[in-house]
Amino acid sequence: MTVSLIQTDVAQDEKFSTLHLPQAMEWLAQALQQTRGELTIAPETAIPLLPAQLDPAYWQRVASPFRDGRRAALIGLPLGSYEAGYTNSVAGLTLESAALPGGFYRYDKQHLVPFGEFVPYGFRWFVDMMNIPLGDFSRGPLAAPSFEMRQTEGTLQRIAPNICYEDLFGEELAVRFADAASAPTVLANVSNIGWFGDTIAVAQHLNISRMRALEFERPMLRATNTGATAVIDHRGRAAASLPPFTRGVLESEVQGRSGATPFARWAATFGLWPLIAMAAVVTASAALRSRRRNNAAP
């Protein structure tokens, strides 16, 4: 499958600036129209506004290239309303998705960051005082359905999105492999770690994604704001990437895969409990041996 991964490179202090936002939105619209891949992915909050806040003509520019049946897209943006609550989400656009509620497939982030994305118990007063409506997102489902797209030759790809550091939690991604018939063929991470600037976070997050690719033997597509935007194969190797902190589009290819690793099978059923139980047994055995040696000492 040919893929186009967009790296927007918008500094965090410019992301919501009325001075810089129009130019960033215009560049994104042009990039989405010009990408060549069967699947195009734009990063987390690539569109930092709710659909209701967008000019309908702008959304038409964004969505129309993916309604011809030949291409599809995953685009990060917030969704929801003040009454229904907000979500940190990914919208999926295909010819078929035009008939869905809202006109697109939807993935809502499930593993939220305290204070950044949800308000811990007892701190609601702080968000109310600061009047930050997007400071408290709602959680999406853990066992989220994949984004399905059919290639021109008829192959069905199931892309499983995850947002930002959700790919740190392999046991949570494993839930999507419980049913082999609907298991993802490709993983896709959309991120904005511009919060951390030019730090080790870029390389760290790339290696986290590489580990998930190894655990599930699935390729991982990474479309990020500042990096690392990359195609990771099923063996955890970065097959193609963009330099961090640059604006551009990575045009590459990826091979979807089926089947399930042993980790995917038992983590989908038991989570991390087998590892926890094993660690408890090892710890208890070591403590027991130590106690016996102490009791045997003269």
Side-chain angles (χ1 to χ4, degrees), residues 286-298:
L288 183 60
R289 286 196 301 270
S290 177
R291 184 176 180 180
R292 285 175 177 172
R293 284 197 300 268
N294 290 338
N295 290 339

Side-chain angles (χ1 to χ4, degrees), residues 85-110:
Y86 302 98
T87 54
N88 187 359
S89 302
V90 173
L93 302 171
T94 62
L95 175 65
E96 293 79 9
S97 69
L100 297 174
F104 47 78
Y105 159 91
R106 174 174 176 171
Y107 170 78
D108 299 330
K109 188 179 182 185
Q110 195 276 333

Side-chain angles (χ1 to χ4, degrees), residues 53-121:
Q53 297 173 307
L54 296 172
D55 182 339
Y58 181 84
W59 183 252
Q60 178 65 19
R61 289 178 64 196
V62 167
S64 59
F66 309 103
R67 297 279 167 79
D68 61 3
R70 297 191 299 270
R71 300 167 59 206
L74 290 168
I75 303 171
L77 78 171
L79 294 175
S81 65
Y82 182 81
E83 295 76 18
Y86 302 98
T87 54
N88 187 359
S89 302
V90 173
L93 302 171
T94 62
L95 175 65
E96 293 79 9
S97 69
L100 297 174
F104 47 78
Y105 159 91
R106 174 174 176 171
Y107 170 78
D108 299 330
K109 188 179 182 185
Q110 195 276 333
H111 199 116
L112 302 178
V113 178
F115 291 107
E117 293 176 321
F118 80 95
V119 182
Y121 178 77

Side-chain angles (χ1 to χ4, degrees), residues 45-264:
T45 59
I47 298 176
L49 302 175
L50 297 164
Q53 297 173 307
L54 296 172
D55 182 339
Y58 181 84
W59 183 252
Q60 178 65 19
R61 289 178 64 196
V62 167
S64 59
F66 309 103
R67 297 279 167 79
D68 61 3
R70 297 191 299 270
R71 300 167 59 206
L74 290 168
I75 303 171
L77 78 171
L79 294 175
S81 65
Y82 182 81
E83 295 76 18
Y86 302 98
T87 54
N88 187 359
S89 302
V90 173
L93 302 171
T94 62
L95 175 65
E96 293 79 9
S97 69
L100 297 174
F104 47 78
Y105 159 91
R106 174 174 176 171
Y107 170 78
D108 299 330
K109 188 179 182 185
Q110 195 276 333
H111 199 116
L112 302 178
V113 178
F115 291 107
E117 293 176 321
F118 80 95
V119 182
Y121 178 77
F123 287 88
R124 166 59 59 183
W125 61 270
F126 177 78
V127 173
D128 292 341
M129 180 183 68
M130 298 297 292
N131 191 27
I132 309 175
L134 288 179
D136 193 11
F137 286 113
S138 301
R139 297 179 187 274
L142 181 61
S146 295
F147 174 65
E148 294 187 349
M149 58 166 288
R150 192 168 295 279
Q151 297 177 257
T152 53
E153 72 275 14
T155 303
L156 180 66
Q157 298 283 0
R158 293 183 294 273
I159 298 94
N162 57 86
I163 298 176
C164 202
Y165 278 103
E166 282 191 311
D167 63 348
L168 182 63
F169 305 97
E171 73 280 9
E172 295 180 0
L173 297 185
V175 173
R176 306 187 203 183
F177 289 81
D179 181 5
S182 60
T185 59
V186 178
L187 302 173
N189 177 271
V190 300
S191 292
N192 170 31
I193 53 174
W195 300 94
F196 301 101
D198 188 0
T199 67
I200 196 174
V202 173
Q204 177 201 53
H205 202 182
L206 175 65
N207 285 331
I208 289 171
S209 290
R210 293 176 61 206
M211 187 65 198
R212 299 293 84 78
L214 282 168
E215 283 178 344
F216 299 108
E217 287 197 6
R218 291 293 192 276
M220 175 81 81
L221 303 174
R222 289 180 47 82
T224 70
N225 177 20
T226 56
T229 296
V231 174
I232 302 171
D233 68 18
H234 68 286
R235 299 198 181 280
R237 298 172 295 202
S241 62
L242 287 177
F245 305 103
T246 59
R247 178 176 285 181
V249 180
L250 177 63
E251 302 283 0
S252 189
E253 295 182 349
V254 68
Q255 175 68 56
R257 294 175 62 85
S258 59
T261 62
F263 174 83

